[in-house]
Amino acid sequence: QVQLVESGGGLVQAGDSLRLSCAASGRTLRHSFMSWFRQPPGKSREFVAAISLNGGNTYSADSVKGRFTISRDSAENTVYLQMNSLKPEDTAVYYCATSSGPISRLVVAHQRLYDIWGQGTQVTVSS
């Protein structure tokens, strides 16, 4: 069974950069994705970015394109979210997620398809 642990969150100023890490233990499903979601205070959880565990293809929400980049290490045991040009609206608890079954790229942003989640890491961006 896969376990996910996020780290790297913190308090930063607007315009700063931050890199989040998601360490996975156990074997992940090849035909799936490892993804980042976030939940701003008082709001619903939303999709941020995803990376294919098969070919390494990446996808991201329009709100973070050009600022956030998802990547993975060569051993594929850790996924990163590089966040640049941070804005106060990026303030949220960031969660790493994957699935125990295959996920199509067409529905990669649908959080209900993910059944394995980390505990989350807080990112706070001050203005």
Side-chain angles (χ1 to χ4, degrees), residues 12 31-32 42 50 54 57 59 61 71 104 113 115-116 120:
V12 297
H31 299 290
S32 186
N54 184 14
N57 297 315
Y59 307 84
S71 63
S104 169
L113 300 178
D115 57 351
I116 302 173

Side-chain angles (χ1 to χ4, degrees), residues 9-110:
L11 174 63
V12 297
Q13 298 287 328
D16 285 354
S17 297
L18 199 62
R19 188 177 74 165
L20 305 182
S21 298
C22 176
S25 62
R27 185 173 180 176
T28 55
L29 184 66
R30 178 177 177 84
H31 299 290
S32 186
F33 297 82
M34 193 164 291
S35 303
W36 288 97
F37 293 82
R38 68 185 183 186
Q39 185 168 16
K43 297 184 177 181
S44 300
R45 191 161 55 192
E46 63 186 18
F47 173 75
V48 177
I51 187 166
S52 170
L53 298 180
N54 184 14
N57 297 315
T58 61
Y59 307 84
S60 61
D62 290 340
S63 60
V64 304
K65 285 182 178 177
R67 299 190 299 123
F68 292 9
T69 302
I70 188 170
S71 63
R72 62 182 181 179
D73 64 14
S74 58
E76 300 184 0
N77 62 340
T78 303
V79 173
Y80 305 96
L81 184 67
Q82 179 66 46
M83 304 184 293
N84 298 326
S85 302
L86 283 163
K87 305 175 181 179
E89 64 190 84
D90 295 319
T91 295
V93 177
Y94 284 71
Y95 297 92
C96 183
T98 190
S99 68
S100 58
I103 295 179
S104 169
R105 64 177 179 84
L106 300 177
V107 294
V108 68
H110 295 185

